[in-house]
Amino acid sequence: MKPQIALQLWSIQDACKDDLYGALTEVKRSGYDGVEFAGYHGKSAAEVKSDLDELGLKVAASHLSYETLQKDLEKTLAFEKEIGNSRLVIPYASFPTFEGWQSWMAEMEEIAKKAAEEGFEFYYHNHANEFTEIPGRDILHEMVTLTKRIDLEVDLYWLAVSGLDALPWLEAHKDRIGLLHMKDMQESPRQSTEIGSGVLPMKEYVQMAKQLDIPWLIVEQEEFQTYPPLEATAIDCQRLRAMVDEVYD
């Protein structure tokens, strides 16, 4: 099965703030199968669901802060169920000590357990700090070792920024990787850029996604050198779709 392609809506956050329905319309027009949310801009779950249904978009996942989940998990899960989402993703965490990480992981494991009872998968999305802020510690490796229910949404750009050789690392942790953030990197200055315009081996990442049977490839672009966000993310979709078609042919 070919993976579906989604856009992490943080990539077009200004358009979403101005007019979420209009932004989603452009996402659909660009060729995406679905979206990964990063906030709902004041819309109710019913309104979000109506917009998605009208446009024929699916929910790949939602980024939700630790504070949101901790504050009112029941309400949050009800919202996510109503919009048709089954994947919860913590987008970021940072602690100066390994003990701090351990304590947080234990809390997240409990939340992930409760979420699983309601039919949700639970993920953590990395940056580079998980590999760099505590010397000698690969926090993502520790996370999958110390927990049972926290899986990984691996951001390939940030793996590269951290200096890791991504493909062997992905192979070593394949049992706990469920989603990939597809993001290319411009070499100088080091920034995210359109897929196929940077230096990362994006086609090899798609081949790895096939090996791991990843259901969603999620595009994210955070910096824009040549094109405005809606144009850039349309290019991302077109180029990633071509790679998927070639690799999965």
Side-chain angles (χ1 to χ4, degrees):
M1 289 286 290
K2 286 183 183 179
Q4 298 183 90
I5 298 175
L7 179 65
Q8 163 50 256
L9 293 177
W10 182 259
S11 311
I12 56 166
Q13 56 187 295
D14 290 339
C16 290
K17 287 173 189 172
D18 291 342
D19 176 9
L20 183 58
Y21 178 78
L24 292 173
T25 301
E26 290 300 317
V27 171
K28 180 65 177 181
R29 189 175 293 146
S30 295
Y32 287 95
D33 302 303
V35 294
E36 181 177 53
F37 281 101
Y40 302 101
H41 309 287
K43 286 209 169 193
S44 69
E47 289 171 324
V48 172
K49 183 73 166 90
S50 175
D51 290 350
L52 293 170
D53 287 348
E54 183 180 331
L55 294 168
L57 287 169
K58 301 173 187 174
V59 186
S62 289
H63 276 198
L64 298 159
S65 71
Y66 162 62
E67 292 76 16
T68 296
L69 293 170
Q70 188 186 45
K71 183 179 178 182
D72 197 340
L73 183 63
E74 190 175 332
K75 183 179 177 182
T76 301
L77 295 183
F79 188 105
E80 297 301 320
K81 273 188 183 178
E82 188 170 349
I83 68 169
N85 179 39
S86 63
R87 300 178 187 89
L88 313 176
V89 185
I90 301 291
Y92 179 74
S94 176
F95 300 94
T97 67
F98 182 57
E99 291 71 25
W101 275 105
Q102 284 179 303
S103 175
W104 180 84
M105 287 176 202
E107 291 180 37
M108 283 301 97
E109 179 78 349
E110 284 304 305
I111 291 175
K113 181 181 178 182
K114 292 174 184 175
E117 290 167 358
E118 297 295 326
F120 288 91
E121 299 171 20
F122 197 94
Y123 295 89
Y124 178 77
H125 165 273
N126 66 285
H127 290 74
N129 65 294
E130 296 87 0
F131 305 97
T132 60
E133 69 184 2
I134 301 177
R137 290 277 192 184
D138 174 344
I139 294 298
L140 296 190
H141 178 75
E142 301 284 0
M143 192 177 294
V144 298
T145 302
L146 295 172
T147 70
K148 293 180 180 179
R149 297 176 180 86
I150 304 175
D151 290 324
L152 302 177
E153 175 182 66
V154 178
D155 189 305
L156 296 159
Y157 170 90
W158 288 114
L159 277 192
V161 169
S162 73
L164 278 181
D165 190 350
L167 293 170
W169 190 94
L170 292 169
E171 174 66 32
H173 298 89
K174 61 185 179 182
D175 292 343
R176 297 289 288 276
I177 298 169
L179 297 168
L180 293 176
H181 262 201
M182 308 297 287
K183 186 190 308 183
D184 210 342
M185 182 172 72
Q186 177 180 272
E187 193 163 26
S188 183
R190 184 180 283 179
Q191 295 180 338
S192 58
T193 192
E194 290 77 48
I195 289 170
S197 294
V199 297
L200 298 185
M202 302 304 294
K203 186 177 172 184
E204 290 182 43
Y205 294 159
V206 174
Q207 290 167 335
M208 178 60 75
K210 182 180 181 181
Q211 181 184 326
L212 302 185
D213 199 23
I214 300 294
W216 283 95
L217 302 181
I218 301 173
V219 169
E220 184 177 41
Q221 189 173 339
E222 297 178 286
E223 287 106 6
F224 303 90
Q225 300 83 26
T226 307
Y227 304 97
L230 286 170
E231 281 186 49
T233 52
I235 292 167
D236 287 324
C237 186
Q238 179 185 12
R239 292 179 179 175
L240 181 57
R241 181 80 65 192
M243 290 179 192
V244 167
D245 287 345
E246 185 178 347
V247 168
Y248 286 76
D249 186 22

